[in-house]
Amino acid sequence: QVHLVESGGGSVQAGGSLRLSCVVSGYTWNSRCLGWFRQAPGKEREGVAAIDRRGSTSYADSVKDRFTISQDNAKNTLDLQMNSLKAEDTAMYYCAARPSSYCDLYPGDFRYWGQGTQVTVSS
């Protein structure tokens, strides 16, 4: 059974940084895509960043040049380094996984999800 557990959320002032981590376990896929998503109150869940097994990445325009997604395939971990945080980055952040080499930012394509970690940015 695939299991994802996020950590690293918290509260920070605008302009600050946070690093989120996710441990992924229980899968045996040869191809897979891992992603970070977020959902603010009253809004739909949106893709933030994604990475495939080879390390190819994609980012939402709103976080390009501020957020960096990375992975450690040996440890099965996924990280999201968030710099220059803005109030509009406030949301619940989720990591997700799918057994495919196709790696996009559409939440509906991801089958496995963590429980989420809250990020709050005060202005």
Side-chain angles (χ1 to χ4, degrees), residues 2-119:
V2 181
H3 197 49
L4 300 95
V5 180
E6 304 96 336
S7 61
S11 297
V12 65
Q13 289 192 330
S17 299
L18 282 174
R19 187 176 184 89
L20 305 183
S21 294
C22 176
V23 178
V24 186
S25 62
Y27 72 93
T28 58
W29 316 320
N30 290 325
S31 299
R32 61 104 178 98
C33 175
L34 301 177
W36 285 100
F37 297 80
R38 66 187 182 187
Q39 188 167 17
K43 294 188 176 182
E44 293 186 352
R45 191 169 297 188
E46 63 176 359
V48 174
I51 187 168
D52 67 16
R53 184 181 285 277
R54 298 172 303 167
S56 295
T57 59
S58 56
Y59 293 91
D61 289 342
S62 60
V63 306
K64 279 181 181 177
D65 300 324
R66 298 190 299 123
F67 291 10
T68 302
I69 189 171
S70 61
Q71 65 186 350
D72 186 325
N73 288 333
K75 297 180 179 179
N76 288 325
T77 57
L78 176 72
D79 290 342
L80 185 69
Q81 177 66 43
M82 304 185 295
N83 299 328
S84 302
L85 283 160
K86 305 175 181 179
E88 50 263 44
D89 294 319
T90 295
M92 184 71 78
Y93 283 71
Y94 301 88
C95 65
R98 59 181 296 205
S100 172
S101 58
Y102 181 69
C103 209
D104 62 5
L105 294 176
Y106 178 56
D109 288 339
F110 286 75
R111 179 177 177 183
Y112 302 96
W113 294 84
Q115 81 289 351
T117 185
Q118 178 68 37
V119 172

